[in-house]
Amino acid sequence: MIKLKKDEKTEKRSFFSSDRTQRKRSITKRWITNNLGVVILIILVVELAFVYAIQTFYYSSARQTLTSELTSIVNILSRYAQDSGTNLSSEMRNTLESFSAKEKMELMAVNAKGRVVLTSSGFSPAADLAMPDYDNVMGGGDGYWIGKAENGEKIMALSANISSFSSEYSAVRVVVSLTQVDESIGAITLAATIVCIAILLLLVLTGIYFMGSIIRPITQLSSTAGKFAKGDFSFRIRYPGNDEIGDLVEAINHMADELSNAEAMKNEFISSVSHELRTPLTAIKGWAETIYMENDPETIHKGMGVIINETERLSRMVEELLDFSRMQSGHFTLQQSTMDILAELGDAVLIYQDKAAREQIEISYDEPEMLPFVYGDKNRIRQVFINIIDNAIKYSNAGGKVSIRAFEKDGKIYVEVQDTGCGIKESDLPKIKTKFYKANHTRRGSGIGLAVADEIITAHGGTLEIQSKESEGTRVTIILPPMDRSERDA
């Protein structure tokens, strides 16, 4: 059975570890899919658009050059045709032979039957040469065509109709090779591709670094949280960045400090409560054994007194622990009604008159004639008074004095308990109402009495203030609101 439980725990740890690994991978995967994938798509679209624009520009420039040359040739031939003394056929031959751009392009003359009869290169093409540009212009189109020559070379051809002024020739045609143009476009495309690849590599490298800067501290945070879960609060995360992750790291380190302090206070509380419980139990057991063995009435009377006092002390401590447990679980409730705060304060002072006398401490109670009624839980309020007065006596030495007074000021009810005891260090004052915290470890107490008292007063809409100077004494002021008209009517 034990073996099965261990296997289950191991399986759970393995599952959570695997789950964490999958989460880390999913972060990188989401980054690749959502960010890098989109960037690659955008760069690809931009590159394709750039290549298309470059190709369009180069082809448009080549066409414009062909158009310019062809227009110039047609204008020259048109002037020759208008001169009656000029032989157009002879001038056509001369024009093709003296064509200045013959090194870059080829000029052709097409007869009325649609065959190329003259070329600037001197080579006659095949009779069945395909000329879509010629067919196009003779049909009323723009006479433009891009295709492949007989040798497979990519060419651009442009034809112009001259049948309007020549009966022998129907058109002139200019053809240029696109090999160099395509090579230039290819070189630019290659350069653009290299630039895009370089950008993608830079994005990948910076992305990997960025993802690592996120995943590494997250992994460290996960590992640290696991140590915190096991109760090890000694580890702290170091993160040099000043960003949101740095804020998170700082918050977790602060949480670790608080948990460590809470753990230390809890351990101290357990030790203190154990000591507090052991002391009265030891006294009760010791005196019970003495009474059991002795028949002396005086010894029995004295022992019973000690047992009663220690039992009351245990009862108060258990009640404090129960109240604290109720506060922690959210089940702390008040049974509120109209109450006379002076009656509860007077009962608390009366309870401690004899105890203070036994410990040679003077109690001075300045009781006013009357104070406004308070809407609250009289048992809880009396518990607060008892706790405060008990602390005043507990932290005072023989010959000391505890002064208690109640008064109304600015529409509030004040109860002050001041002692001439050991006082509280200034550094301990902000923590004195914290649960489990004990400023003075030489005096008895569980360290939750003030926390419970503060909770009770806060639940009544009041405040509990503490002023103290070390070696001079402490003043505790309880401020409560009086009962208003609506509560009185209710």
Side-chain angles (χ1 to χ4, degrees):
M1 192 65 173
I2 295 175
K3 180 70 167 60
L4 179 61
K5 289 184 177 179
K6 287 184 178 179
D7 290 343
E8 287 177 353
K9 290 181 179 178
T10 305
E11 185 180 350
K12 285 182 179 179
R13 284 197 297 268
S14 175
F15 171 77
F16 288 130
S17 175
S18 174
D19 186 51
R20 285 195 296 269
T21 303
Q22 289 175 1
R23 283 200 299 270
K24 286 189 289 185
R25 288 177 181 171
S26 67
I27 290 175
T28 306
K29 185 177 179 182
R30 286 201 304 270
W31 174 76
I32 292 174
T33 304
N34 299 338
N35 294 340
L36 192 59
V38 172
V39 171
I40 291 174
L41 181 62
I42 291 173
I43 290 177
L44 182 62
V45 170
V46 169
E47 183 181 8
L48 291 175
F50 175 75
V51 171
Y52 176 77
I54 290 296
Q55 185 180 37
T56 302
F57 172 76
Y58 271 83
Y59 280 22
S60 297
S61 297
R63 180 177 180 178
Q64 187 176 358
T65 302
L66 292 182
T67 302
S68 177
E69 292 288 346
L70 194 60
T71 301
S72 177
I73 296 297
V74 170
N75 289 336
I76 292 172
L77 294 174
S78 176
R79 285 197 297 270
Y80 287 151
Q82 292 174 4
D83 188 354
S84 58
T86 303
N87 187 339
L88 183 60
S89 177
S90 176
E91 293 300 332
M92 175 71 78
R93 186 179 300 275
N94 290 335
T95 300
L96 265 68
E97 289 177 353
S98 61
F99 184 50
S100 59
K102 64 174 62 178
E103 299 297 329
K104 298 179 181 179
M105 60 189 74
E106 186 174 18
L107 181 62
M108 302 177 179
V110 184
N111 64 10
K113 296 180 180 181
R115 291 185 61 185
V116 177
V117 292
L118 295 173
T119 64
S120 60
S121 64
F123 295 99
S124 298
D128 57 348
L129 176 67
M131 295 185 295
D133 52 299
Y134 171 77
D135 298 334
N136 189 8
V137 76
M138 297 309 292
D142 58 359
Y144 174 73
W145 174 69
I146 294 177
K148 289 187 177 181
E150 295 174 325
N151 58 359
E153 184 180 14
K154 190 176 182 181
I155 61 172
M156 178 184 290
L158 192 66
S159 297
N161 189 344
I162 60 172
S163 60
S164 61
F165 57 83
S166 173
S167 58
E168 185 179 356
Y169 300 100
S170 59
V172 288
R173 184 174 186 244
V174 182
V175 179
V176 66
S177 172
L178 293 177
T179 301
Q180 290 185 347
V181 174
D182 287 344
E183 287 177 354
S184 299
I185 294 172
I188 295 174
T189 302
L190 179 62
T193 303
I194 292 173
V195 170
C196 290
I197 292 174
I199 292 173
L200 285 176
L201 287 176
L202 181 62
L203 285 174
V204 169
L205 292 175
T206 55
I208 291 173
Y209 174 79
F210 176 71
M211 292 303 297
S213 68
I214 293 177
I215 292 175
R216 278 193 300 272
I218 289 177
T219 304
Q220 195 176 12
L221 287 172
S222 178
S223 175
T224 304
K227 292 181 180 179
F228 291 167
K230 295 177 182 178
D232 180 11
F233 304 112
S234 60
F235 189 76
R236 295 294 180 272
I237 307 169
R238 293 184 179 180
Y239 181 75
N242 186 20
D243 51 20
E244 289 81 358
I245 295 180
D247 294 339
L248 177 60
V249 167
E250 185 178 350
I252 289 180
N253 285 337
H254 178 68
M255 179 189 71
D257 292 336
E258 294 298 318
L259 288 174
S260 180
N261 292 334
E263 184 72 13
M265 285 192 293
K266 184 188 73 173
N267 293 335
E268 187 178 329
F269 166 74
I270 293 173
S271 175
S272 177
V273 168
S274 299
H275 176 74
E276 290 294 319
L277 291 172
R278 184 174 56 192
T279 301
L281 287 173
T282 301
I284 291 171
K285 181 181 177 183
W287 277 104
E289 290 175 350
T290 301
I291 292 172
Y292 181 75
M293 297 174 61
E294 295 284 345
N295 284 325
D296 183 17
E298 184 177 349
T299 302
I300 293 173
H301 180 75
K302 182 178 180 181
M304 291 303 296
V306 171
I307 290 173
I308 291 171
N309 289 335
E310 293 301 326
T311 303
E312 290 177 353
R313 180 178 163 190
L314 280 174
S315 178
R316 287 196 301 272
M317 190 180 305
V318 170
E319 191 62 34
E320 282 184 353
L321 292 172
L322 288 174
D323 287 340
F324 176 73
S325 175
R326 295 187 191 104
M327 285 193 321
Q328 293 296 99
S329 62
H331 296 149
F332 187 78
T333 57
L334 299 175
Q335 303 297 325
Q336 293 182 298
S337 61
T338 303
M339 57 172 285
D340 182 1
I341 197 167
L342 289 178
E344 306 308 323
L345 180 59
D347 288 346
V349 172
L350 185 62
I351 290 172
Y352 281 93
Q353 287 285 1
D354 292 340
K355 180 178 179 180
R358 288 196 304 269
E359 297 186 13
Q360 300 179 9
I361 296 172
E362 179 187 352
I363 288 187
S364 171
Y365 177 34
D366 183 8
E367 183 179 9
E369 291 185 3
M370 193 170 75
L371 284 176
F373 289 111
V374 171
Y375 186 74
D377 189 329
K378 63 179 182 179
N379 292 323
R380 296 298 184 187
I381 294 295
R382 184 194 301 158
Q383 178 184 345
V384 172
F385 293 155
I386 288 173
N387 180 275
I388 301 302
I389 296 172
D390 182 65
N391 282 345
I393 295 173
K394 179 167 55 180
Y395 290 100
S396 296
N397 298 318
K401 183 177 181 180
V402 175
S403 300
I404 304 168
R405 71 187 188 109
F407 58 92
E408 183 182 7
K409 179 182 177 182
D410 298 331
K412 300 281 186 179
I413 298 172
Y414 288 74
V415 176
E416 285 185 356
V417 179
Q418 183 164 358
D419 62 63
T420 58
C422 60
I424 304 169
K425 291 181 181 179
E426 187 176 353
S427 59
D428 290 328
L429 276 175
K431 311 171 190 174
I432 198 66
K433 292 187 285 186
T434 305
K435 59 191 177 191
F436 307 142
Y437 189 80
K438 286 182 68 175
N440 192 328
H441 298 280
T442 63
R443 307 294 175 118
R444 59 182 175 81
S446 62
I448 60 173
L450 275 179
V452 173
D454 184 60
E455 184 78 15
I456 292 172
I457 295 301
T458 302
H460 282 81
T463 56
L464 191 148
E465 299 176 356
I466 301 175
Q467 297 170 308
S468 183
K469 286 188 178 181
E470 194 174 8
S471 303
E472 292 186 14
T474 302
R475 177 190 297 168
V476 179
T477 304
I478 300 166
I479 306 173
L480 288 169
M483 185 172 63
D484 58 26
R485 185 182 299 275
S486 60
E487 292 169 333
R488 191 179 298 115
D489 293 341

